[in-house]
Amino acid sequence: MHLIKEYFTTMPDSHRLLILIGSFFLFWYIENIKFVTGNYNKLKHFSVNSFFVIAALPVQVCLGLAILKVTDFNLIHQSGLVHLSWFVKNNAIGFQCLVAFIALDFLEYVYHVSMHKFKRLWMIHLVHHSDEVVDVSTTLREHPLETFIRLTYLLLFLYLTGTEYWMLMLRQAIQIVSNVFSHANLRLPDRLGKILGYIFITPNLHHVHHHYEQPYTNKNYGDVFSIWDRLFGTYANLEKEKIIFGVDTFQEIGSQTKIVTLLKIPFWKYRPAVRK
């Protein structure tokens, strides 16, 4: 565990970028072979979604520096959940990392639920859900306002949990692969998907979350683990033949493909979902 701690303490940004790019193109290649949706221009779709990486870069840099400050504070002052006396006394860094990972995953679930339940937050998050084809590039489709909100939440979560920098880097390495995988334009075999879905968020489960109508849009909020959805009654399953991506109240005017329109969506008037 100490070797893992040492590596992720000194992990260069280039390694994180390599994990993102590597997992992205691995699942990009797999979904070209075993896709759910095939009748779309994949490169054009990627070009629209990848725009948001550039648009959110200033937010990522500024709040990334703030995240460094918070994790340094946690290390210096030994504050937060993972620095409870038992962990420190027993030098239980493995348990500290596990507690940090699970706690942050639960808090990511809380964050995701809040983005759906509050009207203005939903309008910001809607940019992500407006994608009418879900594939690996949908992972990148996040309005800069949501990037700001998500990282602000993360600052609070890091402080509450006491997560140190290396713990965060380890979690993000796993989280990146998990998020790219769960958005991939593919489905696991039903039996394998069911088994993995008891614990983890899979494409089979996350595609349900991207279904265009209620109540499914408000199901399967989990980040890495699906256990929170099962515990709090937000778990759902839906056959792949019935899944239609997008949001039923915002499917006009090509909002899923026009960058200028996508940037404006958070400022549109809220439209309540029509429950079927």
Side-chain angles (χ1 to χ4, degrees), residues 104-170:
L104 287 175
D105 200 74
F106 168 67
L107 291 170
E108 286 282 354
Y109 170 87
V110 173
Y111 154 76
H112 197 172
V113 171
S114 73
M115 295 302 291
H116 281 248
K117 297 302 182 183
F118 295 96
K119 294 179 180 179
R120 195 45 50 186
L121 293 183
W122 166 244
M123 293 302 298
I124 296 170
H125 187 53
L126 177 61
V127 174
H128 180 69
H129 275 268
S130 67
D131 204 347
E132 293 186 348
V133 177
V134 171
D135 68 6
V136 292
S137 73
T138 307
T139 313
L140 310 175
R141 187 184 179 109
E142 181 180 80
H143 196 283
L145 283 175
E146 179 165 5
T147 303
F148 176 81
I149 294 167
R150 177 173 57 81
L151 294 181
T152 302
Y153 268 87
L154 181 58
L155 285 170
L156 174 62
F157 297 160
L158 292 173
Y159 175 74
L160 292 175
T161 58
T163 300
E164 296 176 16
Y165 179 77
W166 74 272
M167 299 174 189
L168 177 62
M169 292 301 100
L170 173 58

Side-chain angles (χ1 to χ4, degrees), residues 234-252:
T234 54
Y235 173 84
N237 209 340
L238 188 64
E239 298 87 348
K240 65 179 179 181
E241 295 79 13
K242 295 182 179 179
I243 294 176
I244 301 172
F245 298 126
V247 179
D248 56 357
T249 52
F250 290 91
Q251 287 185 310
E252 77 287 1

Side-chain angles (χ1 to χ4, degrees), residues 31-81:
E31 68 183 12
N32 280 340
I33 301 170
K34 191 176 177 60
F35 53 79
V36 175
T37 305
N39 57 338
Y40 72 107
N41 187 322
K42 192 166 184 177
L43 288 176
K44 182 178 180 181
H45 184 247
F46 168 76
S47 68
V48 171
N49 289 343
S50 61
F51 163 81
F52 290 94
V53 176
I54 300 170
L57 191 59
V59 178
Q60 292 272 13
V61 171
C62 292
L63 289 182
L65 293 173
I67 286 170
L68 282 174
K69 294 291 185 182
V70 171
T71 53
D72 285 347
F73 177 90
N74 292 338
L75 176 62
I76 294 169
H77 296 278
Q78 298 286 286
S79 61
L81 178 65

Side-chain angles (χ1 to χ4, degrees), residues 5 25 98 142 173:
K5 178 180 179 180
F25 285 104
L98 181 62
E142 181 180 80

Side-chain angles (χ1 to χ4, degrees), residues 88-108:
V88 176
K89 182 179 178 181
N90 292 279
N91 194 29
I93 61 172
F95 282 107
Q96 283 180 300
C97 186
L98 181 62
V99 168
F101 193 102
I102 293 173
L104 287 175
D105 200 74
F106 168 67
L107 291 170
E108 286 282 354

